[in-house]
Amino acid sequence: MAADLLIPEAAIGQFYSERLFSIEKTKEFAHRQGIGIVVGRLQHDGMISFRTYNQYKSK
């Protein structure tokens, strides 16, 4: 539920349907949504590995 509040279901659904998860596309999507949690959401939803793009996550 919290994930859908931060990233609207329609927006993430459209992003997932494109199946293009390069770091450039991911950053562009995050910028359009005005949030910085997209890498974690991709990892949590199983779209990318939990090792992918960790260097872009804030610690």
Side-chain angles (χ1 to χ4, degrees), residues 4-46:
D4 290 335
L5 290 174
L6 296 172
I7 305 174
E9 187 175 339
I12 199 75
Q14 175 64 36
F15 183 60
Y16 285 176
S17 72
E18 295 172 8
R19 310 288 297 173
L20 299 171
F21 306 123
S22 68
I23 193 57
E24 292 82 15
K25 291 288 187 181
T26 301
K27 285 180 176 181
E28 180 182 303
F29 176 75
H31 181 73
R32 282 195 319 265
Q33 297 303 310
I35 55 171
I37 62 161
V38 175
V39 169
R41 176 73 186 263
L42 288 169
Q43 291 172 336
H44 181 266
D45 289 350

